[in-house]
Amino acid sequence: MVKTIMIVDDDPNIVDLLKLYLNAEGYITLEALDGKTAFDQLKNQVIDLAIIDIMMPIIDGYELLQMIRQEYKIPVILLSAKNQDYDKITGLKLGADDYISKPFSPLEVVARIQAQLRRFYEFNDSFSAQQSSQLKLGNLLLSHRECVLYIKDKPIPLSAREYELLKLLMSEPGRVFTKKQIFERAWNEYYIADDNAIMVQISRIREKIEECPRKPVYIKTIRGLGYRFAKKDELIP
């Protein structure tokens, strides 16, 4: 599955350099030149790892790291010309997973990113295996073991695509997924063009789970962005 890396640095040359190397390794990249722009993007995108400069305008790297740690568990690598032990310890205490000093080798940065992603996903795969094999939101219960959806204990048949799409949306309620992300994350396919495939699948799922598909409660359309599943506090249990 294609991973998305966020690069946050106020130096466009560094952003372009890292983007070049990461794209060459097959990663998708998102770029921001300050902390505020980065956090705004993070709220509307699914990011697998963030690499963040410390000294930036508006919101610096330390503050951005704290904001991320309040809501997200993604790996974060700090990248900075501040290379004193105090700076490194501060970053690690605030929740950074790694710290790279400038100047740096782009190949080393890519290797560090790959190592963090490997640890993160191996840990989460192990953790997930020990957790309940189902998702429950409102009156919906999605069983991963059976690949079946239940509404108030009544089984609702799903196609493979419907199941994978619903699993993705329900796994992060409130998070907006773009069409491109749905293709790549739910169906493990590359997104080539804007077609109606996702809209058709969403429509079919709504027919099965919504009391009034024209006024959906569970799956929300975010105009111009994509789709999101309703948060728990938006649903009546």
Side-chain angles (χ1 to χ4, degrees):
M1 187 177 294
V2 180
K3 299 293 189 294
T4 300
I5 310 299
M6 172 176 279
I7 306 166
V8 191
D9 197 302
D10 62 347
D11 186 338
N13 293 324
I14 289 179
V15 171
D16 290 342
L17 178 64
L18 291 176
K19 178 180 178 181
L20 179 67
Y21 276 82
L22 288 168
N23 288 166
E25 291 292 326
Y27 294 106
I28 298 170
T29 56
L30 290 175
E31 303 84 37
L33 299 178
D34 63 79
K36 182 180 184 305
T37 301
F39 196 70
D40 288 343
Q41 287 186 350
L42 186 59
K43 290 187 289 186
N44 294 315
Q45 303 284 342
V46 178
I47 308 298
D48 294 289
L49 180 145
I51 181 162
I52 300 171
D53 184 31
I54 291 178
M55 300 176 68
M56 294 186 297
I58 307 178
I59 295 176
D60 67 22
Y62 286 147
E63 187 177 354
L64 176 59
L65 173 60
Q66 290 176 295
M67 293 166 65
I68 290 174
R69 281 292 168 256
Q70 289 175 1
E71 298 188 36
Y72 305 100
K73 296 180 180 179
I74 61 171
V76 175
I77 298 175
L78 290 180
L79 185 68
S80 179
K82 302 177 71 173
N83 56 11
Q84 298 298 315
D85 287 344
Y86 170 80
D87 301 311
K88 296 179 182 180
I89 292 170
T90 299
L92 294 171
K93 281 186 174 181
L94 290 175
D97 298 279
D98 201 352
Y99 191 109
I100 301 175
S101 299
K102 297 179 181 179
F104 58 81
S105 161
L107 292 175
E108 180 187 357
V109 175
V110 171
R112 297 277 193 102
I113 287 172
Q114 291 171 336
Q116 287 298 330
L117 288 173
R118 184 168 57 251
R119 292 190 192 104
F120 180 76
Y121 282 98
E122 285 178 355
F123 170 79
N124 278 285
D125 286 346
S126 175
F127 179 78
S128 296
Q130 300 175 35
Q131 303 304 302
S132 173
S133 58
Q134 63 187 31
L135 284 170
K136 189 177 188 310
L137 290 167
N139 290 322
L140 304 186
L141 187 150
L142 186 66
S143 170
H144 301 323
R145 187 169 297 168
E146 302 170 86
C147 296
V148 173
L149 174 70
Y150 292 89
I151 300 180
K152 296 181 178 179
D153 297 326
K154 177 184 177 181
I156 306 296
L158 297 173
S159 69
R161 283 206 158 198
E162 290 169 353
Y163 167 76
E164 293 295 343
L165 176 50
L166 194 56
K167 181 173 73 170
L168 176 69
L169 295 177
M170 289 181 67
S171 68
E172 295 191 68
R175 177 66 63 85
V176 178
F177 289 89
T178 65
K179 290 183 178 181
K180 185 174 185 293
Q181 290 166 342
I182 290 172
F183 264 91
E184 293 175 348
R185 293 172 179 271
W187 299 336
N188 201 25
E189 298 177 5
Y190 284 101
Y191 181 67
I192 299 175
D194 185 6
D195 58 25
N196 293 324
I198 293 176
M199 185 176 68
V200 170
Q201 297 297 331
I202 291 288
S203 178
R204 288 176 178 171
I205 294 173
R206 282 173 172 162
E207 290 289 340
K208 295 179 179 182
I209 69 174
E210 303 283 1
E211 290 188 10
C212 181
R214 292 182 178 275
K215 296 180 180 179
V217 172
Y218 289 103
I219 299 179
K220 309 284 188 177
T221 300
I222 309 302
R223 192 175 300 277
L225 289 176
Y227 301 93
R228 74 171 180 87
F229 203 88
K231 299 178 183 178
K232 290 183 179 180
D233 58 8
E234 297 175 312
L235 301 171
I236 300 175

